[in-house]
Amino acid sequence: MNFISSSICSTSRAAATPCAFSSLWIRCWLPGLCGILALILGGALVGVHAQAGHFTRAQGAPAYVAKNNLGGPRAVAVDGRIMDVTASNEDFGTVNVGSTSPSPVSMVFTLDTAGTLGSTAVLTQGATGLDFVDAGTGTCKAGAAYGSGATCTVDVSFTPKFAGTRYGAAVLLDSSGNVLATGYLQGTGVGPQVTFVPGAQSVSADAASNGLNSPKAVAVDGSGNIYIADYGNKRVLKETLSARGYTQSVVVNNGLNGPYGVAVDGSGNVYIDDIWSSQVLKEMPSAGGYIQSVVANSAENGLLYPEAVAVDGSGNVYIADGNDRVLEETLSAGGYTQSVVADSASSNVTYPTGVAVDGNGNVYIVSDGTNQILKETPSAGGYTESVVADSATNGLSGPWGDAVDGNGNVYITDTWNHRVLKETPSAGGYTLSVVAVSRLGLVNPWDVAVDGSGNVYIADPTSGKVFTEDLADPPSQKFAPTAIGAISLKTVTVSNNGNAALVFPVPATGDNPSVPSNFGWDSSSTCQQTTANSTAAFELAGGTSCTMTFDFEPTTFGNFSGTAVLTDNNLNVTGTVQGIQLAGVCMGSQTITFPQPASPVYFGAAPITLSATGGASGNPVIFSIVSGPGSLSGTNNSILTVTGLGTIVIAANQAGNADYNPAPQVTQSITVLASKIASPTAPTPGSTLTSSSATFTWSPGIGAAEYMLYLGTTGVRSNDLYNSGPTTATSVNVTGLPTNGESIYARLYSLIGGAWRALDYTYTAVNLAALTSPAPNSTLTGSNVTFTWSAGTSVTKYELYLGSGKGSDNLYHSGYTNATHAFATWLPVNGETIYARLYSYVGGTWQYLDYIYTAK
């Protein structure tokens, strides 16, 4: 059994012009429409019957406003096919928020084969029981059998829940829950709708809790469910809203190569931009799952890496294509008819990365290549282009995604500025405001969506998160700790996101908004507070904002909280009450008196006792070192030990309590000089020695009576190499120092004021060439022997002596050589002792090591 959706119709209108096809009367309000319908219905759509006309009440009843703004023929899905249905391009028009359209609209469905209907549903962006509902008076009944060519109707009422354009659909389903036919619905709610900035930011999904991997796009349906293009995992997720958060399910996770965009239409169909497959897919909810079809692809439509997708109230699909163009896929017989909205040849569109469409058919394009947000307004069969925002006027840097709400407010992810912007239509242009900035992990916002209540959803692939900005609920404001006599301010921006005046009525008593005790209304507010004595209510026009600034000027200590209550007509409900929570803490101020310690001091001085007095909290003053060579110990860190030369910066801090703020930090500096303690001059500390002997010299310390030098190899303060003992000299000659390149630790003591004070430093021993083969003290193996030695450090020449006495060369003399080996011949083989001396030329000086061997 197949269903073909027909037009939307209501009761007849006397002035309509009748014409008939297949025994069904079609009333055409526009002259000449019958002829067009005759051509269509007499051709490919034989057996499809429609009744079209402006929506009216029954004769004699007052008419209500209807609009002709869907921008194309109404189209519906039938058993996986797309069929044209002749109908005027109309919607419910404007209806006050909270009110119901004067009479239901009938969606006429004509059956092309006989069968039994499973059920019907009326949806608002995929959700039942919201703006669009089944009036219950239609003739399409669940379980009813219909013959081929029969018609039935689904009667729909419209009760807008929010201001602006609302999208919905009427659908017929088979007994298994599969969608047979869809007719799209649209209407505009009229009323004031308040939002607040700053909004409360929260994380709706992330990598840790949801396994997200580079979420590129986000969409939201009528129930507040969030759809996420989880690019890195090649899947599209649905986060179903519940009382405790979200429950995750998968829309599709196979066959995708790179989901880059996602959108939801009035029927709850999900559209996916699969960039690396160069196609746009449609996922139709059906029998607890989804049925997939292709809207456009590279083979049939020439797509090249499409970046984004959007859908309007008639099910027409808009695609930001990598060919520097934006396409419209208009729902039509058997599929979609493609047209170009804008391209680089005829407009400023370059590298389009985002696309959105409003209820009037205006298309909003993110032209990333020009740092612009463009608006394409339908005009004379084409489009007229204008600029919503750009880099010069709005500071855009790398905008990537956009969205538009029911009142034409445009939301932009200003990616490289790490923020989300809102452009509100105003006086022929737009007024810029900031919706979200980098906080709670928001890094590079990529895509944005907005729901009917004005809440904003942000996909951030860099952080791997999807954020929600709650703008519909009044915020809570916490003031900075404030002292008696001081004043703190908090400002809340109130926006009328609707299309009718938001009214702050005159209260019978008191103020509106009312402000709790311990807080006040600040005169810098641009919203007007009405009082019982006001002569008129304050009104905030649709699309405008004002600020409410509150004071906190405490007169006593303590924690204070209360609710500022705004009474208005939000969503056309007179006397709506919205509370802004205010909280502040009053604390006294206190100060620290921290006298300057003695400065300069000399390295090696006795520990210094720090002293400071604090304020009224009674808490101790605690010292800390901000920088410099010192350490603290003792009660409250009040004992300073100097550990080196330089400047020590010391901070004094005192904590607060329930009545007093922490005292402002106070710092003092102490300069540490080295002129009272002897300091080494030669060899240069940290240098490498050039010999096994060295003369160590030092500058005399001021007031130093004696000195003492330690040299050792076992660590700081060791003296296994040398201990000068107390001396008044400022130099000593030390011999027998190591020649193996090891570290030598030096400590130079100065006796000042009866106390020995010391400086520690290190040297590196000279590393001379050393014989390695034959092994020293070994017996040679013959009269011809190759002697090999290590290279040493900084050695430029070598010389080897072999002789019968120490330092002699009567047996062998290599002469100067750069080699690290020498071949000696005609050595004795009588068992006598052979003396070897290996010279190393280091830093312009010949130095040597002596060895002995036994002849063979």
Side-chain angles (χ1 to χ4, degrees), residues 769-825:
L771 282 168
T772 58
S773 177
N777 300 312
S778 65
T779 298
L780 302 180
T781 59
S783 62
N784 300 322
V785 178
T786 297
F787 291 82
T788 304
W789 53 87
S790 63
T793 303
S794 302
V795 180
T796 58
K797 289 183 289 186
Y798 309 95
E799 195 171 12
L800 178 65
Y801 286 5
L802 300 176
S804 302
K806 188 174 183 179
S808 63
D809 63 351
N810 60 301
L811 297 178
Y812 177 78
H813 183 173
S814 69
Y816 300 155
T817 180
N818 293 323
T820 56
H821 60 275
F823 182 64
T825 60

Side-chain angles (χ1 to χ4, degrees), residues 431-522:
T431 300
L432 174 69
S433 58
V434 178
V435 173
V437 294
S438 182
R439 59 190 175 108
L440 286 184
L442 179 65
V443 182
N444 294 320
W446 202 262
D447 191 32
V448 62
V450 57
D451 66 17
S453 63
N455 298 319
V456 175
Y457 304 81
I458 304 167
D460 182 6
T462 304
S463 69
K465 297 177 181 178
V466 171
F467 297 89
T468 297
E469 302 290 336
D470 182 0
L471 306 180
D473 296 311
S476 296
Q477 296 292 290
K478 186 175 182 180
F479 292 82
T482 306
I484 293 174
I487 184 170
S488 295
L489 302 178
K490 279 291 183 179
T491 298
V492 175
T493 298
V494 180
S495 298
N496 182 359
N497 216 43
N499 45 22
L502 181 70
V503 179
F504 298 7
V506 175
T509 59
D511 304 322
N512 182 26
S514 65
V515 182
S517 57
N518 300 303
F519 300 91
W521 179 268
D522 192 82

Side-chain angles (χ1 to χ4, degrees), residues 411-734:
Y411 301 80
I412 305 164
T413 56
D414 190 13
T415 302
W416 306 130
N417 284 323
H418 318 293
R419 61 181 183 168
V420 175
L421 305 177
K422 177 182 178 181
E423 295 286 352
T424 301
S426 175
Y430 289 87
T431 300
L432 174 69
S433 58
V434 178
V435 173
V437 294
S438 182
R439 59 190 175 108
L440 286 184
L442 179 65
V443 182
N444 294 320
W446 202 262
D447 191 32
V448 62
V450 57
D451 66 17
S453 63
N455 298 319
V456 175
Y457 304 81
I458 304 167
D460 182 6
T462 304
S463 69
K465 297 177 181 178
V466 171
F467 297 89
T468 297
E469 302 290 336
D470 182 0
L471 306 180
D473 296 311
S476 296
Q477 296 292 290
K478 186 175 182 180
F479 292 82
T482 306
I484 293 174
I487 184 170
S488 295
L489 302 178
K490 279 291 183 179
T491 298
V492 175
T493 298
V494 180
S495 298
N496 182 359
N497 216 43
N499 45 22
L502 181 70
V503 179
F504 298 7
V506 175
T509 59
D511 304 322
N512 182 26
S514 65
V515 182
S517 57
N518 300 303
F519 300 91
W521 179 268
D522 192 82
S523 59
S524 64
S525 302
T526 58
C527 300
Q528 293 181 21
Q529 184 185 41
T530 59
T531 70
N533 297 322
S534 297
T535 58
F538 173 69
E539 294 190 2
L540 190 62
T544 62
S545 301
C546 65
T547 59
M548 297 191 300
T549 301
F550 302 99
D551 296 336
F552 179 48
E553 190 173 4
T555 58
T556 59
F557 298 137
N559 290 284
F560 303 95
S561 62
T563 304
V565 177
L566 170 63
T567 302
D568 55 35
N569 64 332
N570 185 44
L571 299 176
N572 290 330
V573 179
T574 301
T576 298
V577 173
Q578 298 170 96
I580 300 169
Q581 301 297 317
L582 304 178
V585 57
C586 172
M587 305 178 108
S589 60
Q590 55 179 350
T591 58
I592 295 171
T593 301
F594 181 14
Q596 171 67 53
S599 180
V601 297
Y602 298 99
F603 182 76
I608 301 167
T609 300
L610 304 172
S611 177
T613 57
S617 72
N619 290 320
V621 175
I622 307 295
F623 297 99
S624 61
I625 292 179
V626 177
S627 61
S631 63
L632 295 173
S633 60
T635 303
N636 302 325
N637 283 342
S638 61
I639 305 301
L640 170 65
T641 300
V642 175
T643 59
L645 306 180
T647 299
I648 306 173
V649 179
I650 304 164
N653 295 277
Q654 184 184 26
N657 57 18
D659 294 327
Y660 289 91
N661 282 316
Q665 185 183 82
V666 179
T667 61
Q668 297 289 5
S669 297
I670 299 174
T671 301
V672 182
L673 301 178
S675 59
K676 265 202 169 182
I677 188 170
S679 58
T681 57
T684 303
S687 65
T688 299
L689 302 180
T690 60
S691 174
S692 61
S693 62
T695 298
F696 292 85
T697 62
W698 53 88
S699 63
I702 297 176
E706 290 182 296
Y707 310 99
M708 189 161 48
L709 177 66
Y710 284 2
L711 299 175
T713 60
T714 60
V716 175
R717 204 172 62 180
S718 60
N719 62 3
D720 55 296
L721 296 178
Y722 181 76
N723 183 345
S724 69
T727 179
T728 58
T730 57
S731 67
V732 294
N733 185 57
V734 181

